[in-house]
Amino acid sequence: MVNTAETRPKRGAPKAPAAAPAPSSAAPAARKRLDAREREQQIIEGATEFFARRGLDAQMRELAAELGIAHTLLYHYFPTKRQLIERVYEETIAGRWDTRWETLLDDPQLPVAEKLQAFYREYLPAILTPEWLRILVHSGLSDGLIPNRYFALVRERLFPRLLREVRRAAGSRSKAKASAREEGLLMAFHGGLIYHLGIWPLVYQQSYTGQGDAALTDSFIADRIRGLLLQAPEIVTQVASARA
């Protein structure tokens, strides 16, 4: 439009009021109020991720800030960091142990190699997560609480069964305490699987050929079991002879 005397606003004339903003159709979402059980679970899940990433020496105030809650509320649920770490252990490590595995390993009808394959096919995916492994390693470098608890579980529920099956494969029914060589054999077998399929990719963040291939993972487990059972007769026989 051409600006002429007729179209220019007259000096001193009142300005037209500005148009009011259109009302927003979306009201701000109300923040959900968590009950005590939900809040506690939120803290445990957040602490699991936090400790896995930052280590167990990280401060509770920092955790509270990341969770968006007051540190006094965090201490209301977990008065000490040790109590929180123990709950994280129960939820993320001990809680993943399935008693069905004990029934499987105790089945006298199944061949040894078959039951070990079935056990590790389920056990390894249950434990080999970044959070599980990193918390285990961080605690080992800090207070040792979680490795001590985890390996106590392994020594109580798993290793006696592995020892019995290894001896069974070697033709022995001995119930004697594991010898140093037998214990070393079991640790090399069990630890080798966890290192190859868990620590190497999830802690060191290094890839390996066949990573993520379920069929190849089954082959890796089978190869380890085969090696374990091939070594068993020599070690078990030598131990039995030494005790005779």
Side-chain angles (χ1 to χ4, degrees):
M1 177 185 292
V2 179
N3 192 13
T4 65
E6 289 76 17
T7 59
R8 283 196 300 268
K10 296 181 179 180
R11 184 175 297 176
K15 294 182 180 179
S24 173
S25 58
R31 188 171 182 178
K32 182 182 177 184
R33 185 177 180 85
L34 302 180
D35 63 29
R37 188 170 183 177
E38 290 174 323
R39 178 67 73 187
E40 183 177 274
Q41 191 60 37
Q42 178 207 38
I43 291 171
I44 293 168
E45 291 174 1
T48 299
E49 189 277 333
F50 176 77
F51 287 135
R53 177 167 42 85
R54 297 284 302 276
L56 273 71
D57 290 332
Q59 299 299 308
M60 294 279 274
R61 283 179 177 270
E62 296 172 308
L63 170 59
E66 288 206 8
L67 292 175
I69 62 176
H71 72 275
T72 52
L73 180 61
L74 177 58
Y75 281 109
H76 169 75
Y77 284 94
F78 299 98
T80 68
K81 185 161 76 168
R82 183 183 180 92
Q83 287 178 324
L84 177 56
I85 291 172
E86 287 181 344
R87 281 298 302 279
V88 166
Y89 167 80
E90 293 295 336
E91 293 273 340
T92 64
I93 298 180
R96 296 182 184 182
W97 180 265
D98 192 331
T99 55
R100 291 185 305 107
W101 299 333
E102 297 174 37
T103 303
L104 168 67
L105 293 171
D106 290 342
D107 187 343
Q109 303 303 318
L110 286 177
V112 173
E114 183 179 330
K115 69 171 66 175
L116 293 184
Q117 185 80 25
F119 166 71
Y120 278 101
R121 186 182 290 130
E122 290 191 18
Y123 173 73
L124 292 173
I127 67 167
L128 297 184
T129 65
E131 292 79 15
W132 188 95
L133 286 169
R134 289 174 182 171
I135 286 175
L136 189 73
V137 171
H138 281 310
S139 181
L141 295 172
S142 178
D143 58 8
L145 171 66
I146 288 180
N148 288 342
R149 298 276 298 276
Y150 167 65
F151 284 110
L153 181 149
V154 167
R155 289 189 177 98
E156 176 188 350
R157 299 188 180 186
L158 178 57
F159 277 15
R161 291 178 165 89
L162 289 183
L163 177 63
R164 182 194 61 213
E165 296 305 314
V166 164
R167 286 174 172 173
R168 176 186 168 194
S172 170
R173 300 292 178 181
S174 172
K175 295 183 180 180
K177 181 181 176 181
S179 69
R181 290 194 68 194
E182 287 173 323
E183 188 174 279
L185 178 66
L186 298 181
M187 287 293 292
F189 164 70
H190 182 79
L193 284 169
I194 290 178
Y195 182 87
H196 182 186
L197 301 174
I199 292 177
W200 183 250
L202 300 177
V203 175
Y204 296 154
Q205 300 183 45
Q206 301 297 309
S207 61
Y208 60 84
T209 304
Q211 184 173 343
D213 186 318
L216 273 175
T217 298
D218 255 9
S219 296
F220 295 148
I221 296 171
D223 290 343
R224 291 280 183 177
I225 293 170
R226 193 175 300 112
L228 171 71
L229 300 183
L230 284 172
Q231 294 178 77
E234 177 188 353
I235 292 177
V236 170
T237 301
Q238 286 186 359
V239 169
S241 298
R243 286 174 173 162

